[in-house]
Amino acid sequence: MNIFAEAARLYEQNTPFALASIIETKGSAPRHDAILLIQEDGRTQGTIGGGMIERHVISEAIDALKEGRSRVVKGSMSRTGKDAMDMDCGGTMTVHIDVQGIRPDMLLIGGGHVNRAVAKLASELGYRITVVDSWEPNLNAKLFPPNTQLILGETIQDAIDQVTIRDNTQVIIATNHEDTTALPAILKSPARHIGQLASRRKVETLHNKCLELGISEARFQEVRTPVGLDIGAESPEEIAVSIMGEILALSRGKTLRKSGGKPAILSSVTNGHDNLVIIRGAGDLASGTAVKLHNSGYKVVMLDLPKPTVIRTNVSFAGALLNESGQITVEGITAQKARSVADALRIINNGRIPIMVDPDGQTLRQFKPAVLVDGILAKQNLGTHRKMAPVTIALGPGFNAGQDVDAVIETCRGHNLARVIYQGEAEPNTGKPGTIMGYAEERVLRAPCAGQVIPEVAIGELVEEGQIVANISTEIGNQPVITRIGGKVRGMISTGSEVPPGFKIGDIDPRGASVDHTTVSDKARAIAGGVLEAILKLSP
């Protein structure tokens, strides 16, 4: 059986596989035009030349299948250098790994008239469908498309417990009288895409029930209810069209707004969003920028590490990634952790700022923002470039305006703070903090050794010179962090953060009680103004 026949067979069986195709070679390479088929368990058919390069491609293909996303892999058939494969051919090879056969999962809770109609539409659109119910007549196979998985439980909870629910499973809940059991059960699962068929009165009942069961307000707000676009649907078939329309809109990056209590299409992110700003980093200066832009009418999305090492945690939207609640409020603006692009768009529509774990900016292709702001403040460029958005702006040193980005904002305190630079660079990093009341380095709290930070004081507390403000927990005991000056604790890294020796874990403001630690700093406000100026000048 040739590769394409095998690919067709696997596709018909809904078995995931990947096709690895050579798209470019340079120099000496074992193959220049070949295809390799790879399955999830590592079985292959065909070859792209063998050796370490093929092993590397197979490994990458398996990872791509797990992720459900295609990718491009490069390898150098040499012993040293970038992408070296420990080979002696000397050439390079670029391979495109195309993921195939992965159909999206749809779980229909309840096998009534609406979900039957949804199943028919979803089947035609390629979804793999599972229907659960506790009433056997609702699971008559003749009522559903072929290959629909039907699961009967003694209760709706029992039926749900028999299903494997993943984070990308599309769930639609439409039962006769078991929604108050079904919705909480689904909200306790990893599912991120949840639609609930319900009247406004039922929504209130469901809301109260979920809160009683300990489900957070933020988690409940992730439910799309009433589910479906506002198209005036009345019959089960029409309602199914509205539901599938909403699902397709969100999956393709459409932003939804509420119209008469139901979602309606607002705009398309996949076609570009002329009012969307992506901010890389979510520390205090990036967050001050986000506050300014949000209040100026821009839609803002923030991207950061899974566990950001921010210092001014109470005024940094990065706190949403550190808090169990998944959200934080700064100056009346709430940032909320988003699990996907569709989730981020929903959060925007609710008037909040979504923050996502995406340090490399992989979601930019889906968002297609009008503006990208690098607010990482790493003192070096960690990958931001002008092709990321029509307008690109960076905060601080490490960037060259006109080459790396369109504009750089000066972050060094002094006469030039927040100046917009359109050609050239910001002042170089001195490694020294800004001076306040004659204190510079003395203001900074640093870890005396590697270990886990255990704060002994909270942001906003007044401390005295010589006071222990934190401990660094190590295998041989705790090492104290002692402040060299008195004042107000302005910043303190989150409890449990792992840090190396000399790492900045907090700062003390010598101005003491007169300092407002609960709002965006004067420096952040100034820099945010510079960002806004650059956006207005550079935007078409």
Side-chain angles (χ1 to χ4, degrees), residues 284 416 477 496:
D284 62 308
N416 289 323

Side-chain angles (χ1 to χ4, degrees), residues 294 299 332-335 345-354:
H294 180 87
K299 307 296 184 184
I333 300 169
T334 298
L345 299 178
R346 181 191 59 77
I347 292 170
I348 288 175
N349 287 336
N350 289 335
R352 298 183 171 190
I353 294 177

Side-chain angles (χ1 to χ4, degrees), residues 1-22:
M1 184 181 294
N2 66 35
I3 287 177
F4 297 106
E6 176 66 0
R9 185 185 70 83
L10 293 172
Y11 188 83
E12 287 300 317
Q13 293 179 348
N14 196 35
T15 300
F17 64 94
L19 290 175
S21 306
I22 299 173

